[in-house]
Amino acid sequence: MQLSSPYPKICLLAIIISISLSFASCSNLIIVDKFEGRSFIKKGDTALLDWKFTNADLVEIEGIREEMPPEGTFEVNPETTKIYKFSATNSSDTISLDWFVEVLDAIRTGAESAAFPEMKESFLPSNYLTGFAGNASDNLPDRLKVMRTTASPTGLSNVRFLALDQFGNYLRGLASPAYHLTISSPEGKSLETNLLTEKWTSSPEKNLQVTFLIDNSWAAERNSEVLEALKSLAEEYRLIDNYTFAWINHSPPEFVQLTDSEAADFNKIEEPLPHGFNAFYKYTYLYLDSLGETSGDTERIIIPILFSPDNASIFFDASDLAQKARQTGTALYPISIGTAVNTNSLKYLADYSGGRFYSLDENSIENLKSIIQEIIFAQKSYFDLRFDSENSKSLVLGLQKGDIKLMDNFKIIDSPELQFADYQAIAGFNYKDTTITESFLPAIGDLAGLLKANPTITIELTGHSGIEGNENTTYDLALMRAQNVRRALLSQGVPASQIRVVSEGATQPIYYLEQFSWQSVYNRRVEVKWIVPEQLPFEILAEVCPSEAQALTKVEQWEKLGYKSYYERFLKNNSSAYRVKIWGFATLDEAETLATKLQVKYKIPMQPR
């Protein structure tokens, strides 16, 4: 008789035991049934802390000796604002939560209510923070939002994030083992994570400085709606932080300190007419430079709200501002409105400084208030996850619970990256006018100072016009505009040898279809281009083609002959045409020498520039 092996039975028994233990482990997970987490009391009054934790054996409150039951209440009477740290435990699970008790001189209502008071649960779908729905165990999260990142030289980084449901309600309780949080590369490689914590408070542990920079350039025709959103937010929440406000265009801004950011303070802000170009990089850089680095007990964020790209900072770019923001410990949260803004540079600014970028189309400006609320809220209450970010840039924050899989992409940028602007304007002009208006003189003065301090630098002033007449008229207008800027620089002592002047007439509009008045003004401009030999700025105009297909063919032919070539669109007699250029010359002499040879060889006119 053949005896059966005992191993199948042993293996089956092991599987049964494993399943039983797994089931028992899952059944012992602590569930938060009741935990409000915040109270607002008048000084001298008592706050009632009440809770209920299913599957917990006991509850402990830091600083209080007695152990509490899984369901219970406790009265506290703090003299000043205080955070009570709860810990609910059983044999296999622990949950830690904070209960914030804010002590006020008086309980206020309406426009004077406490900062982010009892935020009600929202039932309307929203992509942004609009309410509070309690714990993730009761309401399933619908999205994650990475709100702030900090990188460390040691390779350890922190990511702060929010968990929202489909209605934009903030959810708590992700520290439960039921949720699996990961940080990985886009290819799926997981990074080591630890120390998940949750902050829940209406006041941050550090002093929070918030600066609003509102675009007031010609493109900002709806900036009044931005101010109304800030007023509305202030009316609902008594924002108890340190706020600063400034309108931004090409002129030096005035920064207004709002010591108590209630609606009355915002009502004091005068709303100027939109005017000029956008020098956001320049004036934000100078502002941060004047403030210096944040201290250990201070956090600083800047919320720029922009309708146009930065087109007037001249000698500051996005990379300069990003480095200054990181140096001073400032997170940037740029918000673009409409399609005119260069979103790539703003996204870079947010990533490098550790903030978040938002983009709204012109029909969604009503969401601005919720976005601002989300940004400020996330400085006070959030989940914080530490991870090893060494040699990582593009990352994915992931959350999984059963069939629920959520993610949000973010970046940790170790070193600066070059950022390029489409154009930089030093002056704009009225219709068929070549006079430099007074508002542009400070920027011209700054440029003059830079050129005099750096005599080896050469610039090119390029005049442009809009739809202001025939081809000859627009060429002359554009030329006179550039010449007048040159005269202004010469009058301040800049040597003529440092300035080149050219005219593009109406051939290079920023907006081919001038649908709005501000687009017309942007076309009537003088641009500044730096002539830097290392960047090989000189080129040769080789041919003009009537179609893009023909231009591409010509470019490929020049490339086949070993030359660097590209094409650009321009307007000729109010119709599109294409210039084919050969580029890559450090000096004008190099470009002229090759142009002469090519002109003789191919019998076509060549224009070096």
Side-chain angles (χ1 to χ4, degrees):
M1 182 176 67
Q2 186 176 7
L3 296 175
S4 60
S5 170
Y7 293 110
K9 292 184 179 180
I10 294 174
C11 291
L12 179 60
L13 180 61
I15 292 172
I16 293 173
I17 293 173
S18 176
I19 293 175
S20 300
L21 290 174
S22 176
F23 180 79
S25 175
C26 290
S27 65
N28 281 332
L29 291 178
I30 297 173
I31 299 172
V32 183
D33 290 318
K34 182 196 297 185
F35 192 87
E36 188 62 32
R38 51 187 172 169
S39 301
F40 299 93
I41 62 172
K42 183 179 178 181
K43 192 170 185 179
D45 288 350
T46 298
L48 181 68
L49 316 182
D50 59 334
W51 63 87
K52 180 181 179 182
F53 297 97
T54 299
N55 296 329
D57 293 334
L58 59 90
V59 171
E60 295 178 303
I61 305 175
E62 186 177 279
I64 299 174
R65 293 183 178 181
E66 60 182 292
E67 295 180 352
M68 307 290 179
E71 180 178 2
T73 62
F74 190 79
E75 291 186 350
V76 294
N77 182 22
E79 294 183 359
T80 59
T81 296
K82 185 174 181 179
I83 296 175
Y84 293 87
K85 297 184 176 296
F86 280 68
S87 178
T89 61
N90 63 23
S91 59
S92 59
D93 192 17
T94 299
I95 286 183
S96 298
L97 297 172
D98 292 344
W99 193 302
F100 176 80
V101 178
E102 182 169 356
V103 180
L104 306 172
D105 292 333
I107 297 294
R108 301 170 180 174
T109 60
E112 294 185 310
S113 60
F116 293 109
E118 300 288 340
M119 190 181 289
K120 297 180 180 179
E121 186 171 1
S122 172
F123 296 97
L124 295 176
S126 176
N127 293 322
Y128 309 104
L129 176 78
T130 55
F132 170 69
N135 289 284
S137 58
D138 303 319
N139 301 271
L140 296 177
D142 182 68
R143 64 181 59 87
L144 300 177
K145 286 197 172 183
V146 172
M147 297 302 298
R148 187 154 186 173
T149 58
T150 54
S152 167
T154 63
L156 288 177
S157 299
N158 283 65
V159 56
R160 297 181 187 176
F161 64 95
L162 304 179
L164 306 179
D165 68 12
Q166 61 180 318
F167 304 114
N169 293 303
Y170 175 74
L171 302 177
R172 303 186 62 192
L174 293 187
S176 168
Y179 289 95
H180 180 55
L181 283 161
T182 60
I183 292 180
S184 60
S185 67
E187 297 78 25
K189 180 182 178 182
S190 295
L191 305 181
E192 182 178 349
T193 62
N194 54 38
L195 296 179
L196 173 66
T197 57
E198 181 181 4
K199 300 293 183 183
W200 176 247
T201 171
S202 66
S203 294
E205 294 180 352
K206 298 182 178 182
N207 174 39
L208 178 62
Q209 298 177 352
V210 182
T211 300
F212 294 103
L213 302 179
I214 313 302
D215 189 349
N216 192 49
S217 66
W218 279 308
E221 293 182 333
R222 299 178 66 181
N223 59 13
S224 61
E225 296 176 58
V226 175
L227 187 56
E228 286 303 315
L230 292 174
K231 289 179 181 179
S232 177
L233 191 66
E235 287 171 356
E236 292 187 27
Y237 304 108
R238 183 178 177 272
L239 306 177
I240 61 176
D241 305 298
N242 180 358
Y243 286 79
T244 303
F245 180 96
W247 297 106
I248 292 290
N249 59 11
H250 66 273
S251 300
E254 178 185 359
F255 291 89
V256 179
Q257 189 77 35
L258 304 177
T259 55
D260 186 358
S261 302
E262 299 182 41
D265 278 327
F266 281 102
N267 286 330
K268 295 176 183 176
I269 296 173
E270 296 184 3
E271 184 183 329
L273 290 174
H275 176 73
F277 295 107
N278 183 333
F280 157 62
Y281 299 155
K282 173 182 178 179
Y283 291 118
T284 309
Y285 180 100
L286 296 176
Y287 172 63
L288 288 177
D289 192 55
S290 69
L291 294 179
E293 297 184 20
T294 56
S295 60
D297 61 349
T298 301
E299 284 192 352
R300 181 189 300 141
I301 67 172
I302 292 181
I303 305 177
I305 304 174
L306 306 169
F307 292 87
S308 68
D310 183 296
N311 49 18
S313 286
I314 309 299
F315 33 88
F316 292 91
D317 60 23
S319 182
D320 296 323
L321 175 54
Q323 293 179 69
K324 178 59 69 174
R326 180 176 286 187
Q327 176 191 338
T328 58
T330 305
L332 302 178
Y333 291 84
I335 305 171
S336 71
I337 301 175
T339 59
V341 185
N342 182 347
T343 57
N344 288 334
S345 290
L346 294 183
K347 181 70 166 63
Y348 168 79
L349 279 175
D351 290 337
Y352 194 84
S353 67
R356 183 180 178 92
F357 169 66
Y358 293 84
S359 179
L360 290 174
D361 61 47
E362 293 171 346
N363 297 321
S364 302
I365 197 169
E366 69 274 4
N367 291 318
L368 183 60
K369 173 184 165 184
S370 295
I371 291 175
I372 297 171
Q373 175 177 273
E374 179 174 284
I375 293 170
I376 298 175
F377 181 93
Q379 312 307 314
K380 307 164 183 288
S381 299
Y382 51 83
F383 294 97
D384 191 359
L385 187 63
R386 180 173 295 181
F387 63 99
D388 184 353
S389 63
E390 190 174 0
N391 300 322
S392 299
K393 290 188 177 181
S394 297
L395 298 168
V396 180
L397 172 68
L399 177 145
Q400 183 172 356
K401 179 185 180 184
D403 295 334
I404 301 173
K405 293 182 180 180
L406 306 176
M407 63 180 61
D408 192 23
N409 299 318
F410 67 101
K411 285 186 176 181
I412 299 290
I413 302 178
D414 296 328
S415 55
E417 300 172 0
L418 288 177
Q419 300 292 305
F420 298 98
D422 293 333
Y423 68 97
Q424 289 288 289
I426 191 66
F429 297 83
N430 293 325
Y431 181 71
K432 288 191 175 181
D433 195 359
T434 61
T435 304
I436 301 171
T437 58
E438 186 176 350
S439 70
F440 292 103
L441 295 180
I444 292 174
D446 289 343
L447 179 59
L450 179 78
L451 291 173
K452 288 189 292 184
N454 298 272
T456 61
I457 291 179
T458 302
I459 63 169
E460 181 177 273
L461 299 174
T462 306
H464 296 269
S465 62
I467 303 173
E468 299 173 86
N470 60 34
E471 188 173 340
N472 290 334
T473 299
T474 55
Y475 178 88
D476 291 342
L477 277 172
L479 180 61
M480 291 177 65
R481 287 165 178 166
Q483 289 172 337
N484 283 345
V485 173
R486 177 173 61 185
R487 289 191 184 99
L489 291 171
L490 295 177
S491 70
Q492 298 190 48
V494 178
S497 59
Q498 288 183 259
I499 308 170
R500 292 171 45 189
V501 167
V502 296
S503 171
E504 288 287 357
T507 65
Q508 291 288 303
I510 297 170
Y511 297 100
Y512 285 82
L513 298 175
E514 297 178 353
Q515 296 176 301
F516 305 99
S517 59
W518 63 268
Q519 294 176 338
S520 302
V521 182
Y522 275 36
N523 287 339
R524 304 191 296 264
R525 69 199 184 279
V526 170
E527 294 181 12
V528 177
K529 178 182 177 182
W530 303 100
I531 306 301
V532 182
E534 290 78 10
Q535 296 178 359
L536 306 177
F538 295 96
E539 55 194 16
I540 300 170
L541 173 58
E543 301 174 74
V544 174
C545 300
S547 72
E548 188 171 8
Q550 288 178 308
L552 178 59
T553 299
K554 293 293 185 180
V555 165
E556 291 174 345
Q557 290 173 354
W558 285 113
E559 289 174 339
K560 190 174 181 179
L561 292 171
Y563 300 107
K564 300 173 183 177
S565 183
Y566 74 99
Y567 67 86
E568 65 178 7
R569 180 187 178 192
F570 73 105
L571 287 183
K572 183 178 182 181
N573 299 325
N574 293 325
S575 298
S576 293
Y578 299 86
R579 292 171 175 151
V580 176
K581 295 185 176 183
I582 299 170
W583 67 277
F585 305 98
T587 66
L588 184 58
D589 286 342
E590 289 181 19
E592 289 175 340
T593 299
L594 180 61
T596 300
K597 292 180 180 179
L598 294 177
Q599 189 165 306
V600 171
K601 183 174 182 179
Y602 295 105
K603 311 300 182 184
I604 55 176
M606 295 279 177
Q607 299 178 27
R609 174 178 164 183

